[in-house]
Amino acid sequence: MIRKLTVTCLAIVCTLSLTLGASAPAAATAESKSGKSSISWPNKQALPSFATPKKLDVADIYDAPGDIKLLLATLQGIVNREEPRIYLLENQEEGKLTWLKDLKVPYNVHADYWDIVKKYKKEVKGIIVYDPKVADTINVATTLAGLKDAVVASPALAAQLKAAPFNLKVLDDLQGKFKDRLDAYTWQYENLWAKSTHRMLVGLSPDTSVRIPPGLPESFKTIAEDTTQERDGKNKNTYELDLTSNLGKESVFLRFEDAFPQDGWGSAVHEVTVKADGQTIAQFIPGTPEEEAFLYDRQSSQVSTGQGGHRFADNGRYFVYKFTPPAGTKQLTASVLMWNQFKVSAGNIQPPTSDQKEPYGYLRDYAVANKAMVFWLDSNVPEQKALFEKILSGVKPGTPYLGWFNNDVEGEFSSVEITSNYSVYVLAADWFSNLTVFSGTKAKAVKAKTPKAPKLANKIYVTYTFSEGDNFQYNQHRMRILWDDPARGKVPINWTSSPLLYDGAPAILNYFQKTATENDLIIAGPSGSGYFYPEAWPEATFSDFLKQSYTYMKQTGMTVPYVLNRVNSENVPLSASKAAAYEKFYKAKGLFLSWEDHYGVEIINGTLPVSTIQGISTAQDGKNILAAAKAKWDGKSPLFVSLGLLAWSMTPSDVVAITESLGPEYQAVRADHYFSLIRDYNKLPAKSQLAEDENED
């Protein structure tokens, strides 16, 4: 799912697995400098377990420079390998101390993060220096840090760490060693892959955009804005924008963003022409070389070839152009061919740019502790794709890929398809914080709160499902915010989550289970225990993977799967053979499929109900869809509608608003009841015959 991207019962089990067969001996357990390691990783366990944290030294690095965040995260990986003792405050989305307090572990927040470096300096063997001119050396340095019990530092920090009171020596200096990304990762593969663990892969961007203050930048004012929430291009036109009031400084900046960021149909710009006193000083179509001269900040905007080529910015994204008119210009105008929910602002004070990058920490502690190889390869660039596939071919079926992919949505679709081709599943986790601490917590058995199922009637049955549950950092951050909405529990909601929280973050799993109401059903995010595309997964390994991953789903209570299924970046139906495998090995009574612009129910193989999810991003979307469903309904038989709630824009309060607007002919139900009602209506047995046969095997 797009990242910006739980459970109802739990029993303790001894060993669970997604990895088929024994792993390479490299880094089955990673040792610390002292030769001790807390990491336990039996062959039949998907993710490693760390020792139970007893006391934590906490560093607040939220506002620290990027190289400090990188230094502390790699130090955390080395130290926590033996015993979790360092906890980093890197995110404040759900509250800086929210999860720390829930851990119920004694902690000490240090006023100066350097105190933690001083305290644990003797547990590292030295420094790996990255090359600021080649960002991907940050990842190579992270890999080396795990293998050599070292910390990663910028050249400036390295000079500081070599001096008293740290007195650390430089083990490797990567400055000037590599010319570009491919050069760096090729060397890493040839020299470090054999020494790294083959039981997990880690994909991390080497750096991230510096934090941009919220709201419009200084001097910027909105000069054009769509107020009708257009989504179909009906407002496509050439808009004349007067920028004259922004003259007086060297340059004028033009910013495009989404007027309604909650629904993802923001500014779409096809052509820009700028004139100074009637003379053209800029004219370009986005995505062409001519645009580059004026593109000041592309942020996370994207270029599409549709409608003749255009740049668009949905949700919280934006892009900024910079124009420098001749001295003495009296009038400055821009003609912009654009459509959808545009919001345009202009200013003359240079704003900060997201094109300025810095390193970050987050999942790096986990990569270092487990001696994983860290890389960032673009599956849409042939040379990088070839190396990516070479790495994937070197791991066993059922290996997890933690992190994310280059090139946003396009990169997600193509990369998940490739990992699936190699029987590798994805755990989006690049913004998960303190995984080396959470992996030391223990799962607790919680009795499920299950209300009585409703009796079948001629109603419109509606089930609501929050997206993004495959996403580890969503479980940690955004899901906690949604979960704490006071409206939660008033209406039945399905919450997609990752069954692998059982290994990776039991404390988070415990919290959601313990606080769930009867109206909260936690189900498995795409496409079960991990994110993968069934049709792209080889038949030869599919059944064994489902069979073993189901153990996690069963023990966490996430027995209803939500499946994404793509080929060539397009949603495709679930084949009869893959549906049969889900029914037999996940023992599914029904499953959700895709994220579409329509809903519907199909009985595949005559035995498995598959409900297509229609995605919505606003409460009004939901009301419109349900009203249209009623208008087409004859009222003589039940109708089943599955709505997918975009987790980045919707809340439980929105779901309550939708439900309260409905008449008595509608009934909102949990997913387990939804599929039971579908089975009743279609006269299917309460349990799958395939699943029963499997129980007898």
Side-chain angles (χ1 to χ4, degrees), residues 417-655:
E417 186 170 347
I418 292 171
T419 55
S420 299
N421 289 160
Y422 285 88
S423 303
V424 169
Y425 65 94
V426 177
L427 292 176
D430 46 333
W431 300 112
F432 194 101
S433 189
N434 299 295
L435 194 51
T436 54
V437 177
F438 284 98
S439 293
T441 59
K442 307 302 178 186
K444 298 178 181 178
V446 177
K447 187 176 181 180
K449 302 179 182 73
T450 306
K452 186 177 179 181
K455 292 184 178 180
L456 185 65
N458 285 345
K459 288 180 174 289
I460 301 174
Y461 290 104
V462 185
T463 194
Y464 305 105
T465 303
F466 268 114
S467 67
E468 311 307 322
D470 61 297
N471 188 330
F472 251 37
Q473 62 254 13
Y474 161 77
N475 297 150
Q476 186 179 45
H477 305 309
R478 177 64 177 172
M479 183 171 172
R480 178 61 188 264
I481 294 171
L482 297 175
W483 196 261
D484 290 345
D485 185 331
R488 179 180 62 84
K490 295 181 179 179
V491 173
I493 293 177
N494 310 313
W495 299 83
T496 57
S497 186
S498 173
L500 293 186
L501 288 174
Y502 188 92
D503 285 345
I508 292 178
L509 179 65
N510 294 341
Y511 176 81
F512 290 131
Q513 289 181 309
K514 181 178 65 176
T515 57
T517 72
E518 288 189 352
N519 275 331
D520 298 312
L521 179 66
I522 306 171
I523 69 174
S527 291
S529 287
Y531 181 18
F532 59 92
Y533 300 149
E535 298 308 318
W537 195 286
E539 290 281 356
T541 62
F542 192 66
S543 294
D544 283 342
F545 173 71
L546 291 191
K547 186 186 300 184
Q548 295 185 43
S549 63
Y550 172 71
T551 311
Y552 280 92
M553 297 175 64
K554 180 181 179 181
Q555 300 305 326
T556 60
M558 302 184 199
T559 54
V560 177
Y562 167 33
V563 176
L564 287 177
N565 196 33
R566 296 187 178 109
V567 174
N568 296 325
S569 298
E570 298 291 336
N571 288 336
V572 296
L574 200 61
S575 66
S577 64
K578 293 295 171 69
Y582 268 106
E583 189 173 5
K584 183 172 185 178
F585 299 113
Y586 273 12
K587 303 174 176 55
K589 295 180 182 178
L591 60 81
F592 295 115
L593 180 67
S594 299
W595 184 272
E596 303 278 10
D597 59 359
H598 63 274
Y599 59 85
V601 175
E602 179 184 6
I603 310 299
I604 299 183
N605 298 325
T607 57
L608 180 65
V610 174
S611 181
T612 298
I613 282 185
Q614 178 158 3
I616 63 173
S617 54
T618 68
Q620 191 58 51
D621 286 346
K623 293 175 184 178
N624 293 345
I625 291 166
L626 293 174
K630 178 183 175 182
K632 297 177 182 178
W633 180 52
D634 62 9
K636 297 179 181 179
S637 59
L639 177 66
F640 299 93
V641 181
S642 173
L643 296 181
L645 313 169
L646 184 62
W648 307 121
S649 63
M650 297 195 69
T651 67
S653 293
D654 293 322
V655 183

Side-chain angles (χ1 to χ4, degrees), residues 202-447:
V202 177
L204 296 176
S205 172
D207 51 19
T208 188
S209 298
V210 297
R211 191 181 306 122
I212 304 295
L216 287 178
E218 183 184 3
S219 86
F220 277 62
K221 294 183 179 179
T222 301
I223 59 175
E225 184 172 11
D226 173 69
T227 59
T228 56
Q229 210 162 347
E230 292 292 341
R231 298 187 182 187
D232 55 10
K234 288 181 180 178
N235 61 345
K236 185 174 183 179
N237 206 342
T238 298
Y239 295 84
E240 301 297 332
L241 309 175
D242 189 352
L243 307 178
T244 304
S245 63
N246 292 286
L247 293 170
K249 295 187 181 293
E250 180 182 1
S251 300
V252 174
F253 299 86
L254 197 59
R255 171 178 166 130
F256 297 84
E257 58 190 300
D258 194 339
F260 298 89
Q262 70 273 21
D263 69 354
W265 289 83
S267 298
V269 173
H270 169 65
E271 187 172 12
V272 178
T273 302
V274 178
K275 294 183 178 181
D277 293 334
Q279 298 298 312
T280 299
I281 63 169
Q283 186 171 18
F284 57 83
I285 292 174
T288 64
E290 289 77 15
E291 181 199 31
E292 288 297 322
F294 305 99
L295 189 55
Y296 171 74
D297 184 357
R298 73 191 69 227
Q299 207 239 15
S300 296
S301 64
Q302 294 178 267
V303 174
S304 172
T305 56
Q307 301 213 28
H310 62 278
R311 182 174 294 279
F312 63 95
D314 297 338
N315 304 114
R317 299 176 174 89
Y318 67 85
F319 54 96
V320 180
Y321 293 117
K322 176 181 178 180
F323 306 106
T324 304
T329 296
K330 302 297 183 183
Q331 185 181 40
L332 188 69
T333 60
S335 299
V336 182
L337 177 54
M338 61 182 172
W339 61 94
N340 283 351
Q341 298 167 17
F342 57 79
K343 181 178 180 180
V344 188
S345 56
N348 57 20
I349 295 177
Q350 182 166 302
T353 171
S354 66
D355 286 351
Q356 182 182 345
K357 305 289 187 179
E358 64 177 4
Y360 64 97
Y362 285 92
L363 189 65
R364 292 183 192 278
D365 66 314
Y366 196 68
V368 168
N370 291 296
K371 296 188 177 182
M373 190 174 78
V374 184
F375 55 94
W376 189 246
L377 293 165
D378 191 335
S379 61
N380 295 300
V381 177
E383 296 82 5
Q384 294 183 40
K385 178 183 178 183
L387 180 56
F388 184 32
E389 292 188 308
K390 188 178 290 187
I391 294 169
L392 292 170
S393 68
V395 300
K396 293 185 177 296
T399 296
Y401 174 102
L402 292 95
W404 200 236
F405 306 103
N406 201 358
N407 205 17
D408 200 52
V409 175
E410 183 181 357
E412 172 190 346
F413 292 176
S414 60
S415 298
V416 176
E417 186 170 347
I418 292 171
T419 55
S420 299
N421 289 160
Y422 285 88
S423 303
V424 169
Y425 65 94
V426 177
L427 292 176
D430 46 333
W431 300 112
F432 194 101
S433 189
N434 299 295
L435 194 51
T436 54
V437 177
F438 284 98
S439 293
T441 59
K442 307 302 178 186
K444 298 178 181 178
V446 177
K447 187 176 181 180

